[in-house]
Amino acid sequence: MKFGLLSTAALCGLFLATSTLTPAAAQGVKIGILNDQSGVYADYGGKWSLEAARMAVEDFGGEVLGGKVELVTADHQNKPDLAAAIARRWYDVENVDMITELTTSSVALAVQELSAQAKKIDIVVGAATSRITGDACTPYGFHWSFDTRALGVGTGGALTETGGDTWFFLTADYAFGYSLEKDTGDIVKSKGGKVLGAVRHPLNSSDFSSFLLQAQASKAKVIGLANAGLDTTNAVKQAAEFGIVAGGQKLAGLLLTLAEVHGLGLNAAQGLVLTESFYWDRDDKSREFAERFFKRTQRMPNMIQAGTYSATLSYLKAVKAAGTKDSDAVVKKLKELPVDDAFAQGGKVQANGRLVKDLYLFEVKKPADSKKPWDYYKQLAVVPAASAFPLAKDSGCPLTK
């Protein structure tokens, strides 16, 4: 009798095991969009990034490997432990193949580490720390859109070269802020400038008065805002109340996007200098994509949303080219195929997972210079990919040693 029970159990186990071995060709893929949908970065990426990913799936055709492309999404609330728990459930229970967007650097680093353990691909778009393809790189991790070093080269380098040679930083007190302050400070010093000091504020601050008073008292020519989302917009609004710009100091939005400029309005944002990897009105490809996005959302995309479109589309192209969703095979294709879409033309993915492409230095227009809705930027310069991003071998990524 015991033998019979064991045989039945073994047969059931064999059936369950074989039933899970459905050929990948009949499975399609499942992609997770994990980001902040209710907090300080909800406009920066949020539900708008999910809409951009939907556009990528539709533009690709909705199917790959003989099955449908599915999207799942969740709000990580800027909590690394919550994000890791969601990612673990997605990988272990819901059979998610790739996770992207990943706003917030502490979240991105946590999910990237977990993804490497699970041998699953993650493509970071919304988080900024250069560690993602530096010392924290993994065989399955990618970084799209921008990073703290590229932003430092663009905004920090340009302002220092044009006379803004003393800096004081207002820094978000977590991994992203530290990285942005360090990378920009290094660029400023390499150009002959000086960093006079820094003050750190909690994420999602509502009162910047004490921090701004310290920045004002420093007499630095440039106050670098090493923060993002609502933290940046609140700091800019309160800086105006203190008369900081009127007093001769310049504000540098080190991670400022079209979404925050729109939230501020041109009266408050005019004159800000910033670096983005995408602007909707730059060329015909960006305008065509942006106009389709606008019809769905009633807003123009920023570099996070356009980058999520590109990351999703690039992943699907790599799966198709590999003929499988096996992560190792897809990683190989992601690093081989050029990235050529509305977000990036002629982009290349390095051995450390870093997408390299040109970025752009912009100044926010005065209200009188804006000729139509969402006409917010004047381009000052192109930041070449070769200047913005180090070679993989120089990035600190141990995979490239």
Side-chain angles (χ1 to χ4, degrees):
M1 187 70 178
K2 281 186 177 180
F3 178 79
L5 285 170
L6 287 171
S7 298
T8 302
L11 285 170
C12 288
L14 179 62
F15 172 76
L16 288 170
T18 54
S19 68
T20 62
L21 297 177
T22 305
Q27 291 180 359
V29 298
K30 188 179 286 189
I31 297 169
I33 308 298
L34 184 57
N35 63 3
D36 177 6
Q37 300 175 12
S38 59
V40 65
Y41 301 134
D43 267 358
Y44 170 89
K47 63 184 180 181
W48 318 114
S49 290
L50 175 61
E51 197 60 36
R54 287 191 180 116
M55 289 176 65
V57 172
E58 291 169 13
D59 288 352
F60 184 76
E63 295 186 355
V64 70
L65 304 179
K68 290 185 178 180
V69 178
E70 296 181 63
L71 291 177
V72 294
T73 189
D75 181 356
H76 60 49
Q77 301 174 35
N78 298 307
K79 298 175 181 176
D81 55 345
L82 176 59
I86 293 167
R88 186 175 290 110
R89 185 185 77 242
W90 278 358
Y91 289 148
D92 295 347
V93 179
E94 299 186 29
N95 298 315
V96 168
D97 299 294
M98 186 272 281
I99 296 176
T100 189
E101 222 278 40
L102 293 169
T103 301
T104 314
S105 291
S106 52
V107 162
L109 291 167
V111 172
Q112 178 154 291
E113 183 179 354
L114 178 69
S115 299
Q117 294 168 7
K119 295 187 176 181
K120 297 279 192 172
I121 291 170
D122 68 279
I123 305 180
V124 178
V125 180
T129 178
S130 55
R131 293 188 59 212
I132 290 164
T133 51
D135 68 297
C137 72
T138 76
Y140 303 100
F142 294 82
H143 203 178
W144 242 242
S145 194
F146 67 99
D147 63 25
T148 51
R149 183 186 184 278
L151 296 174
V153 169
T155 309
L159 288 176
T160 304
E161 288 172 354
T162 55
D165 55 3
T166 55
W167 284 65
F168 187 94
F169 289 97
L170 199 67
T171 302
D173 193 10
Y174 75 105
F176 150 65
Y178 313 150
S179 185
L180 187 51
E181 178 190 317
K182 179 186 182 301
D183 285 343
T184 305
D186 287 348
I187 295 296
V188 168
K189 287 180 277 190
S190 75
K191 301 285 186 181
K194 295 180 180 179
V195 176
L196 303 184
V199 62
R200 290 175 175 174
H201 67 81
L203 180 66
N204 202 10
S205 293
S206 58
D207 184 2
F208 285 86
S209 56
S210 64
F211 311 122
L212 288 166
L213 285 171
Q214 292 179 64
Q216 191 174 37
S218 74
K219 305 297 184 184
K221 293 179 182 177
V222 181
I223 299 172
L225 302 177
N227 50 24
L230 287 177
D231 283 338
T232 301
T233 58
N234 285 335
V236 171
K237 288 175 182 176
Q238 290 172 39
E241 294 170 10
F242 283 101
I244 286 177
V245 175
Q249 291 173 292
K250 195 169 189 69
L251 291 179
L254 297 175
L255 178 44
L256 192 64
T257 79
L258 193 76
E260 292 78 63
V261 171
H262 183 68
L264 281 165
L266 291 184
N267 281 324
Q270 60 183 306
L272 282 169
V273 176
L274 58 100
T275 301
E276 284 212 58
S277 54
F278 174 87
Y279 179 47
W280 74 270
D281 202 19
R282 251 194 48 76
D283 56 34
D284 289 343
K285 274 192 172 183
S286 63
R287 280 188 286 272
E288 188 274 335
F289 168 74
E291 286 162 6
R292 289 194 292 126
F293 185 87
F294 185 88
K295 287 179 181 178
R296 302 165 73 116
T297 65
Q298 300 307 298
R299 60 192 290 129
M300 289 300 185
N302 65 4
M303 66 176 170
I304 314 305
Q305 292 129 22
T308 301
Y309 171 88
S310 176
T312 304
L313 188 61
S314 294
Y315 173 75
L316 292 172
K317 289 178 178 178
V319 170
K320 181 179 180 180
T324 175
K325 61 180 181 178
D326 172 76
S327 292
D328 291 305
V330 178
V331 162
K332 185 178 179 182
K333 289 300 179 183
L334 275 166
K335 293 178 180 179
E336 287 178 357
L337 296 173
V339 180
D340 195 359
D341 52 39
F343 172 74
Q345 289 83 56
K348 296 180 180 179
V349 180
Q350 297 187 140
N352 61 347
R354 172 71 259 176
L355 169 64
V356 294
K357 66 175 293 294
D358 292 345
L359 283 79
Y360 312 99
L361 185 70
F362 297 111
E363 182 177 321
V364 179
K365 290 183 175 182
K366 296 175 182 178
D369 295 332
S370 178
K371 305 303 181 187
K372 57 188 175 182
W374 296 89
D375 176 24
Y376 295 158
Y377 291 169
K378 176 174 71 174
Q379 184 173 311
L380 301 179
V382 175
V383 184
S387 299
F389 303 104
L391 296 173
K393 67 182 180 64
D394 299 325
S395 66
C397 172
L399 299 176
T400 64
K401 299 297 182 185

